[in-house]
Amino acid sequence: GTREARLFLGNAGTAMRPLCAALAVMAASQGGTFELSGVPRMHERPIGDLVDALHQLGCNVQWLGQVGYPPLRIAAALSALRTAPPIRVRGGVSSQFLSALLLALPLLGSPQAMTIEVEGELISRPYVQITVNLLARFGIKVEVQAWQRFVIPAGCAYLSPGDIHVEGDASSASYFIALGAIAATREPLRIEGVGRDSIQGDIAFVDAARAMGADVSCGAAHLEVRRGRFPLKAIELDCNH
């Protein structure tokens, strides 16, 4: 495969973080040199906690601009990776950092189990649950200990599930749920790609819409929304998850 590349990722933060972790782990174990950059706004989006975690492992990730932010240079490790000590990440920062590590570390096929420890309370827990569920479908059974420790088993390897359904984005669907609640007075507005089986935290917007008066029916991978009570009723809601 390619061992040297300069990759421009635009403003795709969700690509930058897991890709940084995956390339850092691969470069450490197989060699290679990679540069990751993006638009100016990307270079203002923090990635320091993820790189700190990769440094704990022994990966060689260097700042090409401001410390804590892209652009980054990833190169071969300068010494053997430290897979025995727990890798520590703060729970109060983006869950994408933890998800990036969970996705990347199995690429090492470490002969011993590897542990990630979360410092403080883990925010965005539903998104980490998505990652753990997805890894299980690809043959990686992560042991979750009270959402504070994540143990990646020894000698694990990715296995193809054959086929997989990729959900639509529940956050984006929420706008159309609202549209149906306000304006679908004849036929229901049908939204495909998310539904009753969704594992995204933002699917809870369906419950909020119902509480406000919308009429929502759910299929496994679709929603149908029509105006119910109108005007809609005000509610109070904890939106943490």
Side-chain angles (χ1 to χ4, degrees):
T2 300
R3 296 292 176 87
E4 197 166 319
R6 299 176 69 179
L7 302 172
F8 177 80
L9 299 179
N11 199 27
T14 312
M16 174 68 78
R17 287 149 176 175
L19 188 59
C20 168
L23 290 177
V25 164
M26 291 172 65
S29 58
Q30 304 170 27
T33 303
F34 306 94
E35 289 186 9
L36 301 180
S37 64
V39 298
R41 175 69 183 119
M42 173 65 85
H43 298 170
E44 298 173 354
R45 301 179 70 177
I47 199 170
D49 281 82
L50 175 59
V51 174
D52 287 347
L54 293 168
H55 284 165
Q56 293 173 48
L57 181 62
C59 294
N60 183 358
V61 184
Q62 304 159 12
W63 310 112
L64 293 177
Q66 184 179 353
V67 171
Y69 300 85
L72 307 170
R73 183 176 185 273
I74 296 165
L78 302 176
S79 59
L81 294 183
R82 299 181 288 275
T83 55
I87 299 169
R88 292 181 169 83
V89 293
R90 290 189 296 150
V93 296
S94 173
S95 62
Q96 289 182 7
F97 299 153
L98 176 55
S99 287
L101 293 169
L102 289 169
L103 291 168
L105 293 180
L107 295 170
L108 287 173
S110 172
Q112 62 189 39
M114 300 181 66
T115 302
I116 304 170
E117 286 189 355
V118 175
E119 297 177 344
E121 185 178 354
L122 178 64
I123 63 169
S124 302
R125 191 178 298 179
Y127 290 104
V128 180
Q129 183 73 67
I130 291 173
T131 304
V132 170
N133 292 351
L134 189 67
L135 283 167
R137 291 199 59 187
F138 281 83
I140 313 288
K141 302 288 197 299
V142 176
E143 182 185 342
V144 181
Q145 300 175 354
W147 296 97
Q148 294 298 125
R149 290 171 60 91
F150 296 81
V151 181
I152 295 164
C156 62
Y158 278 104
L159 300 170
S160 171
D163 62 89
I164 192 161
H165 170 70
V166 179
E167 289 183 30
D169 179 39
S171 306
S172 299
S174 65
Y175 298 99
F176 298 99
I177 296 169
L179 176 63
I182 293 168
T185 54
R186 295 181 184 176
E187 297 299 316
L189 186 149
R190 184 179 173 96
I191 303 160
E192 297 187 350
V194 292
R196 184 178 55 245
D197 294 346
S198 174
I199 56 174
Q200 298 174 69
D202 285 11
I203 200 66
F205 190 78
V206 166
D207 299 326
R210 282 178 172 147
M212 296 178 77
D215 179 4
V216 186
S217 61
C218 299
H222 76 271
L223 305 169
E224 288 194 342
V225 189
R226 69 169 77 228
R227 184 198 282 189
R229 168 188 175 135
F230 204 81
L232 295 169
K233 183 177 100 177
I235 61 170
E236 290 190 10
L237 184 68
D238 180 352
C239 294
N240 185 48
H241 279 349

